[in-house]
Amino acid sequence: MTTPFSYLTHLECSHCRQNFEANRVQTFCPACQTPLLACYDWHAAAACLHRDQFQTRRKGMWRWHELLPVQDEAHIVTLGEGDTPILPLPRLGEDFGLERLYLKDESLNPTGTFKARGLSAAVSRARELGVRRLTIPTAGNAGGALAAYAARAGIPAQVFMPADTPSANIEESRIVGAQVTLVEGLISDAARLSVEAARQNGALDVSTFKEPYRMEGKKTMGYEIAEAFGWHLPDVIVYPAGGGMGLAAIWKAFGELRRLGWLEDEHLPRMVAVQASGCAPVVAAFEKRAATCEFWQNAQTHASGLRVPKSFGDRLILQTLYESNGLAVAVSDEEIQQAQQQLARREGVFAAPEGAANVAALHRLRERNWLTPAESVLLLNTGTGLKYLR
Amino acid sequence: MTTPFSYLTHLECSHCRQNFEANRVQTFCPACQTPLLACYDWHAAAACLHRDQFQTRRKGMWRWHELLPVQDEAHIVTLGEGDTPILPLPRLGEDFGLERLYLKDESLNPTGTFKARGLSAAVSRARELGVRRLTIPTAGNAGGALAAYAARAGIPAQVFMPADTPSANIEESRIVGAQVTLVEGLISDAARLSVEAARQNGALDVSTFKEPYRMEGKKTMGYEIAEAFGWHLPDVIVYPAGGGMGLAAIWKAFGELRRLGWLEDEHLPRMVAVQASGCAPVVAAFEKRAATCEFWQNAQTHASGLRVPKSFGDRLILQTLYESNGLAVAVSDEEIQQAQQQLARREGVFAAPEGAANVAALHRLRERNWLTPAESVLLLNTGTGLKYLR
């Protein structure tokens, strides 16, 4: 029996569980207005695949192709994303009294951020399904990533971003040939224009959570973490949540690994969402134990990727926090800036402000005694600080 | 018998072949004023190591540790460098009528450039040998890399760079805590100040080719290329030569692989050095079949990494070109800029101008019929374009 290139079977609404056909272009559940999740034949996958076989394949996220949505290898659009390093942080750990502190450095991706994973998956699948044009609303880095992968695929792309997005995001999108529209307002305003452009031009809008395959790319962070930790997951994962898809995607990955029987034990990490105090809808909802977020008015933060007033996947983010016994924490821009310097000076990593926010959050978590010294704690740095220089 | 962590034996002058002890701090040959090369026990290494055993190790350049200089794993200073992707460039290949065109994208390294490899090796070895302070003269990216690795190691660092170096290089060096001195002039002027500071402060000057271990880090590009191409090397490798160490280091790696008997055949690539027409000492020397370069007066180019009037390793660079039946080519800043856009739009890679210079050089090589359509051609992109934004 030959094993398929992908075990993808169908899509499922994350709320009402209605099934959707995977072999045509899908967006989100029209009834619930919630994201669709990609489903796989886990029974067959568990029978045919072994967790160790992925290790010897060529590096990059596509070595997990059986658990990703693309059906035909020829459709993969890659720039070498994935398999970013996991670095021990002994000196920063000392500062916080944490013996096992780690950083997964997603800045070592194409376009310098974790957004590469999601857009590699989305653009690959879009090409496979015959999509001729792509649009995206973005707080910055996702736009740069879409633009790059669309160029690589030869598919025209339109990027909508706030006019005050870091200029590196504007430049990187333009140089690869995307049509960039600067929007007075926030990503929520850009989102409306992206939907409208998609409708007018027959394009696919690959907005966070409104397209089901970006999440599949992002979940490979979870696979890599499990593999790197010997299939015994860390105690705590700290993640900066703007759109929050990475957080939900890593959680999805852990669920999948459990179904596959690849984890050494039943131990799952407590997931922490970090937001900026000037835009903290997830923190506000979490503190009320709400199922969804309210739109955050007058969102403001220099960590542009965290300037997302309401995520389309808010329900999934909050579920992740509740199910994992996690937490949501807000930190100020001043704390982020100090933390960025602390991480840089102590460990040599020049992180994006979103990534540095995790270090700021560590202060809070230690103050509250929410972390104990011997727990293993993994921070995600979502991107390079180079993109935020003035 | 246990295998050693490293097979390093001694250092050797690249010119007079005199031997130098490896277990103390060394710089260059005082008699010849030429670089020292790291030597290994190739006999033992060939007997004990197998080329396939490196594939299953954790990703990154240190998986080749037996062939690198660090003696004790605990001294390795890593930020996850190495194992950058090799991407086929089908659309750009079409533009040039080349069927097998590839890019090794070194921008997916810590600090966004290939400099990470060399400085990871140099700082690790400096720590191992008890060095307490580091200095470097730089055209830009090497300074950022030294600063990051020194921070990670907890070793103070001083960086000397031209005042008109791209601001990203200045900022990335400062945020990780290096002491940055801006110099009116070129890297050659910065070099004098770095030597002087090293003398005054008892620091080690890790200037290109004046310290023997940066080259060892860089040579891992050659190992990765050989492995990725199934130990059958490409026909042509195109490399932007400022200091030119990467070019010589890749050539050193191929020689080592040949000694180890790991290559499938005797076929070695023709090595091409690309320079900017405003600073082309290697091209000038190559055209005269000279053994060394003359200092290039009034060096000027926007590709700051190529603004090196005379490399301390000029002899090794030229040897590489002659031995490999290679070539040296100069391209203008206008051609570089156009090539940067072509690579970005066709393949989605936003390369540094130095990396884009290779694409500009392809035009020349095809015009001259120096390349035939079926030859496999590998371009090195040395860094990310993000660092050059104004």
Side-chain angles (χ1 to χ4, degrees), chain A residues 249-270:
Chain A
I250 290 173
W251 193 245
K252 181 175 192 275
F254 294 159
E256 293 175 355
L257 295 175
R258 197 144 74 159
R259 286 183 85 156
L260 286 165
W262 293 358
L263 296 178
E264 281 294 300
D265 51 44
E266 291 291 302
H267 174 79
L268 293 179
R270 312 199 299 281

Side-chain angles (χ1 to χ4, degrees), chain B residues 66-316:
Chain B
E66 288 94 340
L67 313 175
L68 290 171
V70 170
Q71 305 294 299
D72 178 347
E73 187 168 10
H75 296 131
I76 290 176
V77 183
T78 178
L79 290 164
E81 54 293 327
D83 273 327
T84 55
I86 294 179
L87 307 171
L89 301 179
R91 285 155 50 81
L92 198 74
E94 215 172 84
D95 294 352
F96 287 106
L98 291 169
E99 294 153 24
R100 293 187 292 152
L101 183 61
Y102 302 89
L103 182 81
K104 185 161 178 68
D105 191 358
E106 287 289 306
S107 74
L108 274 70
N109 269 310
T111 73
T113 81
F114 72 137
K115 298 287 184 185
R117 295 180 192 259
L119 274 313
S120 174
V123 173
S124 298
R125 190 69 178 134
R127 176 158 86 169
E128 185 157 81
L129 296 173
V131 171
R132 307 277 284 277
R133 214 179 163 82
L134 295 162
T135 71
I136 197 170
T138 176
N141 288 322
L146 172 69
Y149 285 93
R152 178 99 167 130
I155 300 175
Q158 241 178 312
V159 176
F160 296 86
M161 55 173 84
D164 58 353
T165 301
S167 63
N169 293 133
I170 303 172
E171 295 302 319
E172 68 173 343
S173 302
R174 284 192 174 142
I175 196 163
V176 295
Q179 187 187 325
V180 178
T181 305
L182 298 179
V183 179
E184 293 305 324
L186 297 174
I187 188 173
S188 38
D189 304 291
R192 276 190 290 277
L193 293 174
S194 181
V195 168
E196 187 51 35
R199 191 176 299 140
Q200 278 178 14
N201 306 328
L204 176 65
D205 176 30
V206 293
S207 181
T208 307
F209 282 121
K210 291 187 181 168
E211 182 280 341
Y213 302 114
R214 280 177 68 181
M215 192 171 195
E216 297 306 286
K218 287 270 185 80
K219 81 179 180 187
T220 57
M221 289 190 284
Y223 295 164
E224 292 173 18
I225 291 166
E227 186 187 52
F229 281 87
W231 308 99
H232 176 81
L233 300 172
D235 297 311
V236 174
I237 293 181
V238 186
Y239 199 93
M245 185 192 273
L247 191 83
I250 291 172
W251 193 244
K252 181 176 193 274
F254 293 159
E256 293 175 355
L257 295 176
R258 198 144 72 157
R259 285 181 87 154
L260 287 165
W262 293 358
L263 295 178
E264 281 295 299
D265 50 45
E266 291 290 304
H267 173 78
L268 293 178
R270 312 199 298 280
M271 305 290 287
V272 179
V274 181
Q275 299 202 300
S277 45
C279 181
V282 172
V283 178
F286 179 83
E287 286 174 357
K288 291 189 291 191
R289 291 273 147 176
T292 58
C293 295
E294 284 175 41
F295 189 93
W296 187 274
Q297 299 297 334
N298 304 314
Q300 272 186 334
T301 166
H302 289 300
S304 48
L306 299 181
R307 210 169 45 154
V308 181
K310 183 179 178 359
S311 169
F312 193 75
D314 53 351
R315 202 178 281 274
L316 287 172

Side-chain angles (χ1 to χ4, degrees), chain B residues 8-28:
Chain B
L8 181 73
T9 51
H10 63 283
L11 299 167
E12 181 184 276
C13 171
S14 57
H15 193 55
C16 74
R17 301 291 156 195
Q18 194 194 319
N19 286 7
F20 293 82
E21 238 185 88
N23 284 326
R24 46 171 293 233
V25 175
Q26 300 283 5
T27 53
F28 47 89

Side-chain angles (χ1 to χ4, degrees), chain A residues 12-322:
Chain A
E12 182 183 276
C13 171
S14 58
H15 193 55
C16 73
R17 301 291 158 196
Q18 194 193 319
N19 286 6
F20 293 81
E21 237 184 88
N23 284 324
R24 44 171 293 230
V25 175
Q26 300 283 4
T27 55
F28 49 87
C29 177
C32 308
Q33 297 278 308
T34 52
L36 302 183
L37 300 175
C39 299
Y40 298 77
D41 184 345
W42 296 115
H43 186 73
C48 299
L49 301 176
H50 190 278
R51 67 186 190 186
D52 293 339
Q53 80 190 85
F54 300 91
Q55 208 193 340
T56 50
R57 293 182 179 174
R58 185 152 297 189
K59 297 296 171 189
M61 76 172 208
W62 291 101
R63 65 191 173 93
W64 307 98
H65 62 78
E66 288 94 340
L67 313 176
L68 289 172
V70 170
Q71 305 295 299
D72 179 344
E73 188 169 9
H75 296 132
I76 290 176
V77 183
T78 178
L79 289 164
E81 55 292 329
D83 273 326
T84 56
I86 293 179
L87 307 171
L89 301 179
R91 284 153 53 80
L92 198 74
E94 216 172 82
D95 294 352
F96 288 106
L98 291 169
E99 295 155 22
R100 294 188 289 153
L101 183 62
Y102 302 90
L103 182 80
K104 186 162 176 68
D105 192 357
E106 287 289 306
S107 74
L108 274 70
N109 268 310
T111 73
T113 81
F114 72 137
K115 297 289 184 183
R117 296 181 192 259
L119 274 313
S120 174
V123 173
S124 297
R125 191 68 178 134
R127 177 159 84 169
E128 184 157 82
L129 296 172
V131 170
R132 307 278 284 276
R133 214 177 163 84
L134 294 161
T135 71
I136 196 169
T138 177
N141 289 322
L146 172 69
Y149 286 94
R152 179 96 165 132
I155 300 176
Q158 240 178 311
V159 176
F160 296 86
M161 54 173 83
D164 58 353
T165 299
S167 63
N169 293 134
I170 302 172
E171 294 303 317
E172 69 173 342
S173 302
R174 283 192 175 141
I175 195 164
V176 295
Q179 188 188 325
V180 178
T181 304
L182 297 179
V183 179
E184 293 306 324
L186 297 173
I187 189 175
S188 39
D189 303 292
R192 277 190 291 279
L193 292 175
S194 182
V195 167
E196 187 50 37
R199 192 176 298 138
Q200 278 177 14
N201 305 329
L204 176 65
D205 176 31
V206 294
S207 180
T208 307
F209 282 121
K210 291 187 181 167
E211 181 281 339
Y213 301 114
R214 279 176 68 180
M215 191 169 195
E216 297 306 287
K218 287 269 185 79
K219 79 178 180 189
T220 57
M221 289 190 283
Y223 295 163
E224 291 173 19
I225 291 166
E227 187 188 51
F229 281 86
W231 307 98
H232 175 81
L233 299 172
D235 297 311
V236 174
I237 293 181
V238 187
Y239 199 94
M245 184 192 272
L247 191 84
I250 290 173
W251 193 245
K252 181 175 192 275
F254 294 159
E256 293 175 355
L257 295 175
R258 197 144 74 159
R259 286 183 85 156
L260 286 165
W262 293 358
L263 296 178
E264 281 294 300
D265 51 44
E266 291 291 302
H267 174 79
L268 293 179
R270 312 199 299 281
M271 305 291 287
V272 179
V274 180
Q275 299 202 298
S277 45
C279 181
V282 171
V283 178
F286 179 84
E287 286 173 356
K288 292 187 293 192
R289 290 271 146 179
T292 59
C293 296
E294 284 176 40
F295 189 93
W296 187 273
Q297 298 297 334
N298 303 317
Q300 271 186 334
T301 167
H302 289 300
S304 48
L306 299 181
R307 209 169 47 154
V308 181
K310 184 180 180 349
S311 169
F312 193 75
D314 54 351
R315 201 179 281 274
L316 287 171
I317 300 167
L318 287 160
Q319 268 173 21
T320 299
L321 302 182
Y322 300 141

